[in-house]
Amino acid sequence: MLPYRPHPLFRNGHLQTLMLGIFYGDRPPHRATEIRIPLYDGEVLVVHEELGGPLPDSAPTAILIHGLGGNHRSPYLQRIAQQLRMAGVRTWRVDLRGSGAGLSLAWRPAHAGSSSDLAAVVREAQDRYPNSAVRIAGFSLGGNVLLKMLGESAAGGPLSDRLDISRIEFALAIAPPINLHDCANNMDRFSRGVYTRYYLKVLDKQVEKRRELWPAWQAIERLPKVRTIRQFDARYTAPLSGFRDTNHYYDVASADQWLQYITTPTTILVDRHDPIVTAHSFERVQVDNLFIHFEHTSHGGHLGYLGIDDRGKTIRWMDHYVINTLKSENFIRSNVVGAPQVI
């Protein structure tokens, strides 16, 4: 695997993160077919299976889950999905509940704890392709959803009755906010204002679209103006998702409490200079679990990872890492056992 080397002009986690929103890079055309998946409460979400030539029944299936405010058209998902499909991997891009193509199919919002929704997606993939090994990658909020699902299923909770966890070959969580309290506290800092404003701008647009469709959203007062992610979760995410309040949401939805139960070979990619999901959240968690492998990087930011290859060419290293991991046949042997690797 090519080690991460930050671009010499962007050896800073803040710059790397800001560039993610400024420099999209290649954005392949959307070439996928929609699959609607019913959820336990009667709502529906949508996944997008990448189109291409015929694949054998035994081709692996990669499931990609976007982060906060994203959807199947998030540029990194489009780039990664296209490359995986070209490499012979069946690829699904998930629109979390009420996101993307599923906006009019679910009134409840997506949230960091929606593990049962992801379990429905995985079960659908297993039913459709019984001879295909499932591999999953979750980005940021999607990574927390993934880790929570893996832990809950392995612990024998309600999800274990809906999902054959043994058929998930391996999983990859990139910058997951495993402790939502830590993440919200960090985003409340004055120095994180630029990120908060960006996310709230994206989320506000989604709120307006949902107000046009759903009475439950119309009933929520617009004022006072939401100024933090915590306030957004208090006004919208927690009450509309059935939580008592924001603290209850953060307590229940954080994945850190489930890591000890995971039995699926899983890599968690953590950057020491991520300004949104701080490394502090991971330092506080003691994980005595041979199935979890931490990959630590420096100066990659939050899903930024503009780097250089051995020839000095600019690359999007996160794309490279995820693509090569999800198409690899040697992932389990090389990553499950042993001490965390520093790259």
Side-chain angles (χ1 to χ4, degrees), residues 320-335:
H320 167 89
Y321 181 81
V322 173
I323 292 163
N324 281 277
T325 298
L326 293 183
K327 73 179 186 181
S328 173
E329 299 298 332
N330 300 313
F331 175 86
I332 297 175
R333 288 192 296 273
S334 63
N335 284 288

Side-chain angles (χ1 to χ4, degrees), residues 10-33:
F10 305 107
R11 291 187 60 84
N12 179 289
H14 288 288
L15 287 176
Q16 288 278 352
T17 304
L18 291 171
M19 287 301 294
L20 177 67
I22 296 171
F23 177 55
Y24 290 129
D26 295 336
R27 193 167 185 171
H30 177 66
R31 297 182 62 253
T33 184

